[in-house]
Amino acid sequence: MTIEIRRGIMTTSRICTLLVFVAALGQSAAQEQSGQPFTINISALKPAFKLGARIELKVRKTNISNHDISGSVSYAGGTIVGYQCDLRDSTGAPVQKKERVNPSGPPIPTELSARILILKSNESVEYNTFACKAFDISQPGEYTVQLSEPISGNPDDGVVKSNTITITVVAPPPEADTPK
């Protein structure tokens, strides 16, 4: 390779690196101006869930601010405490929550746990949750899910909403008659 070609490749490489850096900086600045210090990205762990099965989601929280934020998470019965789940059926109607067994008393989680974590700028954390288990998903079909989390303990600060995903709930196959 000639020296001129090497210089051209190195210059092009430097320009591409600079453009990627400037684009990332601009995106980060725009997100910071929106007042949202983090993003939430969700995905389903499976393409389809059987009717009655718990719907498990993967949650990825990324700090897009220029300061440390909490990445801590508390679980109650496999559900992340603090997230709100917006679950809608194929017509866009909100899915109703299940009736509680003991409506006069507080819900009693079966397991409690916590993970304490500080996220530095541009760091992410991933965890799984059964965020929709309080909802009555008694019909097969397609549903959309979106999670939201308060930015802080102050309600005036608003919430950060995740991407919206579509999940499929399928009826179990009919049991075949077995000869006796």
Side-chain angles (χ1 to χ4, degrees), residues 4 24-25 34 36 39 50 53 69 76 78 91 93 104 110 121-122 124 128 141 143-144 151 177-178:
E4 291 82 26
L25 186 62
S34 73
Q36 296 188 342
T39 60
K50 289 183 183 173
I69 65 167
T91 68
S104 62
T110 55
S121 185
N122 297 314
S124 298
N128 295 348
Y143 294 85
T144 59
I151 290 175
D177 291 333
T178 55

Side-chain angles (χ1 to χ4, degrees), residues 153-173:
N154 181 354
D156 293 338
D157 289 343
V159 299
V160 172
K161 293 184 177 185
S162 75
N163 56 310
T164 301
I165 62 169
T166 301
I167 57 170
T168 303
V169 176
V170 296

Side-chain angles (χ1 to χ4, degrees), residues 3 10 54 71 78 86 89 104 117 127 131-132 140 153-154 156 167 174:
I3 294 176
M10 289 178 66
R54 297 194 300 177
D86 182 16
D89 65 19
S104 62
L117 181 66
Y127 31 78
C132 305
N154 181 354
D156 293 338
I167 57 170

Side-chain angles (χ1 to χ4, degrees), residues 4 9 17 27 30 36 38 40 42 47 50-52 58 64-66 68-69 74 81 97 103 142 148 155:
E4 291 82 26
I9 291 172
T17 302
Q27 180 182 11
Q36 296 188 342
F38 58 91
I40 305 167
I42 61 173
K50 289 183 183 173
L51 194 60
K58 179 183 280 190
I64 59 170
S65 74
N66 59 3
D68 294 355
I69 65 167
S74 299
V81 176
K97 289 192 174 185
E142 288 192 341
S148 61

